[in-house]
Amino acid sequence: MSRDAKSNIQRITSILKGFDAVNTPRRTQDILDDLGTTRSTGFGLLRALSRAGWLERYDHGLVRLGPKARGMAFAPLEAIEQSDTAKIRVTRGSTKQPRGIPDLEWDPALVRTVETAKYRTKSPYRIGFANASVSNAWRRAMQESLAYAQKTNRQQISGVLVADAADDPVRQREQVETLVAEGIDILLISTASVADKDLSNRLKDLADEGLPIVAVDRRPNDRSSLTAFVTASDHRIGRISALWLAEHLKGQGRVWMLSGLEGASPAIRRQQAALSVLSQFPGIQVEFVSHTDWTPESGLLTIGRLLDDAGRPPDGVWCDSGLQGIGSVQQFLRRNLSVPAHSGGDLNGMYKLCLEKKVPMVALDYPASMGARALEVALDILHGQPVPQRVEVPVQIILPRGLETQSVRADTWAELHVQWALDDDAILSQGPALQLNEGKVAS
């Protein structure tokens, strides 16, 4: 290696090490001063690192670590905090705390890899995907992401057989049997219900018979059947969104909670994490907890019923996704009410509406690109390559400018994240498939 190349590596290392643990943006001039190089050399390195995704522009004259650097620093630690959700004072409605997921996610297996040599087989591969449903824009985007990965790896794949369970556990069990009968080499599954013991037992039997199984997004309650689980940190989504809401309200106020689909593992984990955080703020009063099936229509109707019942709007609405959050915001606007602070990402239309109407919001997009990542993991398994037992796609914190709180800082600004030219139904975390579809979600 030449002396110049070594010097550049040392300079790049110095730049990346100059950011603190919370990725506080740095002035480019300060970085150049620390490097002690000429401005042309320093700016050349900054531009190259930005193009490659190691750095990203934060604001005029400010940069911070980009998605590639953050991804390498990311660790899959989906640990649920010890909490007593009984501390939450729910005056109306019911939390309906889900059963069946004790000690949610933390397990030493989260950082283990799985040896997959026994699954090695020759390509092209036949892959089955038992999808819980395509009942909302996010689920369709996740499936499109998987289809995009299929196209980019088409030389290795003879076919991907996709089944839609329409969120029906019984139907999904039947579809799994059909996929297995078709002679698939690996099964990808997003389970319709975490509480479906019959499906969980059947998956265990299939795994014992030698079929590799990869869960994506939603997993069965019994994880022993899984070769790998591709997901994102639902605990992080629930915890950080609730923390922002509580801090934005300065620890005082009435909160309504809109969870997603009852019985779906992401909704369970997000709700429990959020309740754990809100329990730490004695001045926060949780009045309602409802499920909305992750649809705008259900969010709209639920908030309408709550407003009719309560007679006055809350100070904040916690949503575990913008899929129902956009319906919530629309209901307040229809009634000419001031829209309270909201949480909920994912949907391009949620960003558009909140920015247009200046609604205080926090968002953590659940990455629809995990569909593509799941197919990539499946190919690694069929190649016999070791894979992580749990594969997490990083989740970013997204805030409008000026709405950071003491504990919650933005990874990116909502004003930069929103895509005004794309459809409201566009899922911005879809990855390259979003560009391919030009923001249009298949029906």
Side-chain angles (χ1 to χ4, degrees):
M1 183 182 296
S2 69
R3 182 178 299 177
D4 287 344
K6 290 182 179 179
S7 296
N8 281 335
I9 291 175
Q10 291 172 348
R11 290 165 182 158
I12 291 170
T13 302
S14 176
I15 292 171
L16 299 179
K17 287 174 63 178
F19 293 88
D20 60 23
V22 295
N23 197 17
T24 301
R26 298 190 63 199
R27 294 176 61 242
T28 54
Q29 186 57 55
D30 292 340
I31 296 174
L32 296 180
D33 291 344
D34 290 345
L35 285 177
T37 62
T38 64
R39 289 179 63 83
S40 60
T41 298
F43 274 119
L45 285 174
L46 293 178
R47 284 193 295 269
L49 290 171
S50 297
R51 285 195 299 269
W54 293 99
L55 295 177
E56 66 182 5
R57 181 180 176 183
Y58 180 78
D59 207 338
H60 182 69
L62 294 172
V63 296
R64 64 181 175 185
L65 294 177
K68 186 173 290 186
R70 292 196 300 268
M72 291 197 61
F74 186 80
L77 302 178
E78 176 82 333
I80 184 68
E81 298 171 358
Q82 294 297 320
S83 64
D84 178 7
T85 53
K87 295 178 185 176
I88 294 289
R89 183 155 50 99
V90 181
T91 56
R92 301 187 185 190
S94 171
T95 58
K96 299 180 73 175
Q97 286 299 307
R99 300 176 182 177
I101 307 186
D103 188 26
L104 285 182
E105 287 298 331
W106 175 242
D107 186 305
L110 292 178
V111 292
R112 291 179 185 163
T113 58
V114 179
E115 293 296 330
T116 64
K118 63 181 179 181
Y119 300 123
R120 183 186 294 119
T121 186
K122 292 183 178 180
S123 63
Y125 306 120
R126 195 171 177 83
I127 299 171
F129 178 36
N131 196 358
S133 73
V134 288
S135 59
N136 60 54
W138 188 91
R139 300 212 60 81
R140 294 191 290 272
M142 186 268 284
Q143 184 165 300
E144 287 178 355
S145 173
L146 187 146
Y148 176 83
Q150 177 188 355
K151 291 178 182 178
T152 60
N153 294 279
R154 55 185 173 272
Q155 293 182 341
Q156 304 178 60
I157 299 172
S158 61
V160 175
L161 310 179
V162 179
D164 169 18
D167 291 315
D168 182 344
V170 175
R171 182 176 180 179
Q172 186 167 56
R173 291 199 299 272
E174 296 171 351
Q175 289 175 339
V176 166
E177 297 299 340
T178 300
L179 291 172
V180 171
E182 291 286 340
I184 56 175
D185 296 299
I186 192 167
L187 174 66
L188 307 181
I189 187 167
S190 182
T191 57
S193 173
V194 71
D196 186 356
K197 293 183 178 179
D198 290 337
L199 175 63
S200 190
N201 291 337
R202 181 55 180 147
L203 293 177
K204 184 67 168 61
D205 290 341
L206 291 171
D208 291 342
E209 293 168 9
L211 180 69
I213 301 173
V214 176
V216 53
D217 164 45
R218 305 182 191 175
R219 62 164 177 79
N221 191 26
D222 181 0
R223 291 174 287 176
S224 63
S225 63
L226 303 181
T227 308
F229 178 33
V230 180
T231 184
S233 178
D234 292 298
H235 177 70
R236 174 177 167 83
I237 291 172
R239 178 175 60 84
I240 292 179
S241 58
L243 180 59
W244 175 87
L245 185 60
E247 290 188 343
H248 178 77
L249 297 177
K250 299 183 173 15
Q252 301 288 330
R254 299 161 44 251
V255 172
W256 296 351
M257 298 182 70
L258 302 185
S259 289
L261 179 68
E262 187 170 8
S265 55
I268 293 172
R269 292 196 294 270
R270 294 174 197 179
Q271 183 188 107
Q272 290 186 340
L275 286 170
S276 174
V277 169
L278 294 176
S279 70
Q280 301 170 27
F281 293 85
I284 295 292
Q285 178 183 350
V286 177
E287 289 189 336
F288 297 98
V289 180
S290 300
H291 289 89
T292 61
D293 299 333
W294 283 313
T295 67
E297 297 78 14
S298 184
L300 182 82
L301 293 173
T302 300
I303 290 297
R305 288 194 298 267
L306 294 179
L307 286 170
D308 291 341
D309 184 32
R312 61 187 178 123
D315 301 294
V317 179
W318 178 88
C319 302
D320 68 1
S321 170
L323 293 169
Q324 71 269 24
I326 190 171
S328 173
V329 173
Q330 288 169 341
Q331 184 65 263
F332 287 103
L333 293 173
R334 287 187 182 185
R335 297 186 181 216
N336 294 316
L337 296 171
S338 177
V339 184
H342 272 67
S343 65
D346 299 317
L347 200 64
N348 193 36
M350 179 70 171
Y351 289 103
K352 288 182 178 181
L353 189 59
C354 288
L355 289 172
E356 286 175 349
K357 302 301 181 181
K358 301 188 184 307
V359 177
M361 60 129 19
V362 65
L364 291 94
D365 285 354
Y366 192 52
S369 59
M370 68 178 68
R373 188 72 185 95
L375 190 132
E376 292 167 356
V377 169
L379 293 177
D380 286 341
I381 291 170
L382 295 175
H383 291 155
Q385 299 175 2
V387 298
Q389 197 165 52
R390 181 186 178 94
V391 179
E392 279 197 4
V393 183
V395 175
Q396 288 191 322
I397 303 170
I398 303 160
L399 287 164
R401 295 180 188 273
L403 289 182
E404 292 179 320
T405 63
Q406 179 180 354
S407 305
V408 181
R409 303 302 175 92
D411 289 316
T412 190
W413 298 122
E415 293 87 348
L416 300 177
H417 187 65
V418 68
Q419 296 294 321
W420 296 104
L422 297 186
D423 292 350
D424 288 352
D425 276 354
I427 300 297
L428 302 182
S429 63
Q430 191 176 354
L434 177 66
Q435 299 173 2
L436 183 69
N437 295 318
E438 295 180 343
K440 298 187 182 300
V441 181
S443 59

